[in-house]
Amino acid sequence: MSAVKSALRAAKAALDAHQYELAIENANRVLQEDPRNYHANVFLGLAFEKQHRNDDSERAYRAATVLKEGDPLAWQGLIALYEQQGARKLDEYHDAASHLASVFIAVDDKTKCQTVVDEYTDFARKCGSRAQYRHSLEMLLPGGQLYDYLEGRILHPAYTYTKISEIVEQDETEKINYEIGQRRTRLGAKIDQVTADVKREVLQASDLETIYQHIIDWTDDDGMRRSYEEKLLQHAYDTLVVLPSPQKASKREQVVRLAQGFVILKHPFILAWRITLEWKDVERIEELDVGLLREYADFFPEDGLAKVLRGYLESEVSTCPPYAPDYDRDDEGQGTRSSVMTAEDRLILMTDGVDDTPASALALRIMGEYYLYLEEYESAVKTARKAQRELAIGSRISGLPLINISDAVNIILGTAMVHYQAPRHHPEATSLFENILTRKVTNSAALIGIGLILEEREELEKAVDFLERALQQAPSTRVKAESAWCRALSGDYETSIVELEECLSQLETNDSRTKTLKAQILYRIGMCIWNMDTSKSSRKDRNKAYARFISSLQADMSFAPAYTSLGIYYTDYARDKGRARKCFQKAFELSSSEVVAAERLAQSFAKTSEWDLVEVVAQRVVESGRLRPPPGSKKQGISWPFAALGVVQLNVQDYSSSIVSFQSALRISPKDYYSWVGLGESYHNSGRYIAATRAFEQAQKLEKEIDAKVLGDTWFSKYMLANVKRELGEFQEAIDGYKEVLASRTKEYGVSIASLQTMIEAAWQDIELGFFGRAIDNIREALKTAEDLVTWRNNAFNLWKSIGDLCSVYTYVQSYIAEFPLQAVVELLNYDFDLETYSLLADFDHLDWAAFESSAAGKEAGSLVGLSSYTAILAYKRAISCCVNDAHARAVAWYNLGWAEHRAHICHLGRATDNSNDEFTYIKASVQCFKRAIELESGNSEFWNSLGIVTSQLNPKVAQHAFVRSLFINDKNARTWTNLGVFYLVEGDTQLASEAFTRAQSSDPEHAQAWLGQGLLAAHLGESSEARNLFAHAFEIASASATQIQRSYACSTLDHLLSLPNTSSSTASLLQPVLALRRLEKQSSADLSFTHICCLLQERMGDHAEASKKLSAICSILEAEYETSESVETLARFANVKADLSRSLFAEGKYESAAENAETALDLSVDDETTNMRQRTRLTAHTSAGLSNYYLGSFDRSIEAFQAALEESQEDADLVCLLSQVLWAKGGENEREVAFQQLFSCIERHPGHVGTILLLGSMLVLHDDHDTIEAVSEDLRALRIQDDLTPQQRKQLTQLLSVIATLYPEGYGRSMAPTSEATASVMLGPSDPYGWSQLSDITDEPHPAEMAVLTAIRKAPPRGELDAEDLCKIYAGTHRGEDAQRSIMFAPWKVSGWRTLSQL
């Protein structure tokens, strides 16, 4: 025991000496001897604490407290240890401080106990979190051990609860903000919903209301109590807002109880007063406690609701005693006497109040009622709708249905909508009233509202019934007057007058509030008198209806209907248009609902062309909302304002708006003829031609349904429909429409000129489509129209422009130039003219009237083609003289003349004159024309483009500038880009040309000339295949009038055919080139080169008769030309055509003529050594002569011709084959031997020539030369693997090998020789139908025949060149009925298909 004590003393001494390790050793020694030694644990904990071994120190102190829980030393050590560690051990500090305080309470040491508590709470405030500080404060709350022991020495409970409430408020605010920030980023999250959910979670779990209640209970400060009562109400209200509906009841009771407490105590907390007032579900405002309303206005004078209440209580609407407080409070709280407000000030005050408190349903309801009283129905509607929204929000917050308030607001809205823009809102108003009447069948306001709506719908009996029911509930002079008026509208004028007089007697004379009603009753009495006797004398009587109208205005000078009736009186009976117009203006100024006055005004303004005023009147009527009747109404809609707006918008070219206006008019009046016409015209002017067609067709249907006297003249719709058809390109229908109009209006210039222009446009379209004959027919009709027009309107620009166009047509369809009506055109030009007119630009083009007469008499300058160009130029010159005062028309006229001059140049009419020898005569004149057009209209890109075209040869710099200027004005013009590309191509700049053509293609991919330019560029660069493809595409998308495209396409196709190694070509590939050349013949018949090319292509197609006919015609023309010029070149061309003619005649079977023409060609080309075509001409002639003589039986002459051909062609292999065939056909041994020799020599010179080897093999088989056949067979088999064989050659090769295998089977095996050869053909060419067909002929298996069909389909055009006869044979080989029918369809002239079908 002494050792323990000495060790304790040593430990204590070591602590005092700050020898903490020694103290730990001594304390541990003690604990080894006595583990339950209290002081040893305390010393050990203190030593560890000094060494900052906090965990060991805490264990030692804890062990000590367990040994002596009532001793303060260990607890004090723990507290000191925890204080050193700050907030880390604050929760343990709380427990230690509680135990230490309990120890001091046990020993009754209040001072030390208070010290412990104060130090702990102060430490928690400084170092701990808000939750830990709150935890420390909760030790001091009433009901705890510490509060009971230290009461009076620690914080007052009210202060403690206040501190705790501040902590909780801050925590809840931060938690709400944090959770909202976290959840709002989730997918599909909505901020309003997230906020409500978070607040609901936090506020439902909150204990703030309990804390607030404790503060209220404990505090002695009334101000503090009121403050926390406000907070309690606010917190409860906020919780109520976010609670779901099923949980609102109990919380709402709490909120209402708290709010009523504030009101009872007269405490000015606005939320409590708002809840008390807004949540009272009263049917009328008068049911609210007026004292409460006044107190609210006194307590919160600056609040918006208070302003509304003050204005309401002082207004005429309120049934309460006027609100007149003795004093108002100024800014310093001093009392000042108030003054009575005027009506204007009251309205301003209430309006400001509503603006200040837009969320108050009560303020909006009161304001809506006041607007109804002022008859400001639009404002009442807007206010009531706001009240509905706010009432719905309030009901959702409180959970109260507020049925009575909702009905009151709906009555305000419905009543306002009865009058506002009637009858637009009547269906909605009816729905509102009917909904109210389902709950309150005697509601007089709803009954009156439905009655007025039925009156507007002209359902008068029902209206009277509802109004009478309303009168039974609440007698009213206004309602009785409406009932009487309904009887008047139903025709019972006498009864109505009696009842209206009774109503008039019930009104007070000097009551300003009833002046409008009095004016209305007087007006209605006047209308009853007006309609009772409709005679003119009665209505003119100023003592009857007129007097009542005047009395109505005396009662109320702003009563609009009375002005309207007076206006009608002055217009129709007093004949005073000035007064009438003033009356109508006054009526319409006072009320936009006076539709009759508005219509009369609009008509008067329209008569004087005051369209802006018409628009103002019509627009205001439209905005009034009285045009469309409600659904189910018997009342007719009013369409004229929309129609008037449409007419005005048409006049100002606002077509999109006019369409909408006319459509609106037609929705109201579907049978309004003139609205259909206006709609069609609007569609037409805006480019919507299909819709315009439907509109005019509908108008024409109405013409048949409506009396002609009512409609008046209807020609305009027919004329406009013809215009629409013209725009759609349906020219014949348009022409027929114009003729129908002209049948009744023969001298209608606009229709006549439109008909003329349409005929010419139809002709141009026919030219583009290739219908040249139809184009000339349209021109003949146009000429007749022009002949009629010129007799009574010969000074019109469009007339002479059209005459110039119709003359120009003949230069584009030169095959019909013989039909040019020269005499008729001369008579037109000679009609009432001035010589100076035709002398325009004569210095440049040398063409005036005298020059033209000279040309016409001598048929000079290209005969009729030239004369048609001259007449076009003269017509365009006369057009210029007809538009002196119109700059735009004059610019267009110069532009037209410029192109006419250019066309004259294109038609090769450049001629020598006395003063010059200039082939650019017309081009220079064209330049002058385009320059003058540009001077008049420099912003027109087409003018600059045209100038660039005509100056390209004269001055390239000017041309480039003109093209660039055109593109500067309009850089999207594909034509200009194409022209610029051609310009660069001509100048040799291929890169710029390519860029220009590319821009043209991107601007308009359908512009064919851009593709032509790319083709020309490709041809210039030597890319013939690319050029041919581009020409083909250009031809496909081009019109029939694009002659250059047709030339380029045909030439490229012919060049391609000539470049092929064999002469085979499908008919389909030649159709389009031949079509192009035939069109070209029609447009430029003098161009013999392309006619010759057409003949060559037709010959390849097998159209030999047509080719022979054209070649004969060319020969006649060339012969005549040679007789005139004796040109060597012409003679060479003639010989060439003769050779081609002989070949075509031979193919046609006319052998004698063929031989004769061939001899002629040979005779004419003997001495020709200058032309490059001599060899080809003579070779063709020799070959044609040889073949013709062969078929004529003249073998010797045939052989001579072929031998000569061989000499001309340096032993051509094909000619050798022909010669060998002729020798073989002659039949002699010597001839056949020579034939063999020729073929063997040819094979040596041309070892790969297929025709020679095939012919040799065939001859050897016929000669039965077994030894030679074996050698030739090897060559034939070698040919089978070549890829360049034509289908016909492959077929012949297969057949020949099959024959050889059949006749000479030694190398195959006797029974399998043909089959083996056919199988080998299939193996070498599995996609070749001939091998399969041969195999199917040899074997009875169906598979080869089916494979032959499949491969033949792939080889048929356009994918291959298999002809119809081969297809016929292959399909017949399957021996099936359907294939036999297809075989017959492909080649009905072949026997194979018919034979197969007959065998089935």
Side-chain angles (χ1 to χ4, degrees), residues 437-452:
L437 289 175
T438 57
R439 295 187 300 275
K440 303 171 183 178
V441 295
T442 60
N443 189 288
S444 59
L447 292 170
I448 293 170
I450 292 181
L452 293 176

Side-chain angles (χ1 to χ4, degrees), residues 812-829:
Y812 288 90
V813 191
Q814 296 180 13
S815 59
Y816 291 89
I817 195 63
E819 301 179 19
F820 178 61
L822 178 60
Q823 187 59 38
V825 174
V826 170
E827 290 178 2
L828 286 174
L829 294 172

Side-chain angles (χ1 to χ4, degrees), residues 583-598:
C583 288
F584 289 137
Q585 286 178 336
K586 184 65 175 178
F588 192 60
E589 288 173 4
L590 291 171
S591 174
S592 60
S593 300
E594 290 303 307
V595 180
V596 175

Side-chain angles (χ1 to χ4, degrees), residues 738-754:
Y738 291 133
K739 288 181 178 179
E740 185 179 355
V741 176
L742 290 171
S744 59
R745 301 180 70 89
T746 56
K747 298 298 182 182
E748 191 68 46
Y749 169 73
V751 181
S752 297
I753 198 66

Side-chain angles (χ1 to χ4, degrees), residues 287 1195 1237 1263:
E287 295 178 16
F1195 295 109
Q1237 292 176 1
H1263 198 255

Side-chain angles (χ1 to χ4, degrees), residues 430-470:
T430 302
S431 176
L432 292 173
F433 291 138
E434 289 176 348
N435 183 41
I436 294 170
L437 289 175
T438 57
R439 295 187 300 275
K440 303 171 183 178
V441 295
T442 60
N443 189 288
S444 59
L447 292 170
I448 293 170
I450 292 181
L452 293 176
I453 291 172
L454 292 172
E455 176 187 337
E456 181 68 25
R457 292 183 181 178
E458 298 183 358
E459 299 179 24
L460 301 174
E461 293 183 2
K462 293 182 180 180
V464 170
D465 177 58
F466 274 92
L467 293 173
E468 292 294 337
R469 286 166 58 187

Side-chain angles (χ1 to χ4, degrees), residues 1097-1128:
L1097 295 178
Q1098 286 177 317
E1099 185 182 355
R1100 284 177 175 258
M1101 290 175 60
D1103 191 2
H1104 303 294
E1106 184 67 21
S1108 299
K1109 180 180 177 182
K1110 290 181 180 177
L1111 288 170
S1112 299
I1114 295 174
C1115 287
S1116 301
I1117 296 172
L1118 290 175
E1119 186 176 2
E1121 183 179 342
Y1122 179 73
E1123 290 176 357
T1124 304
S1125 63
E1126 296 186 356
S1127 168
V1128 175

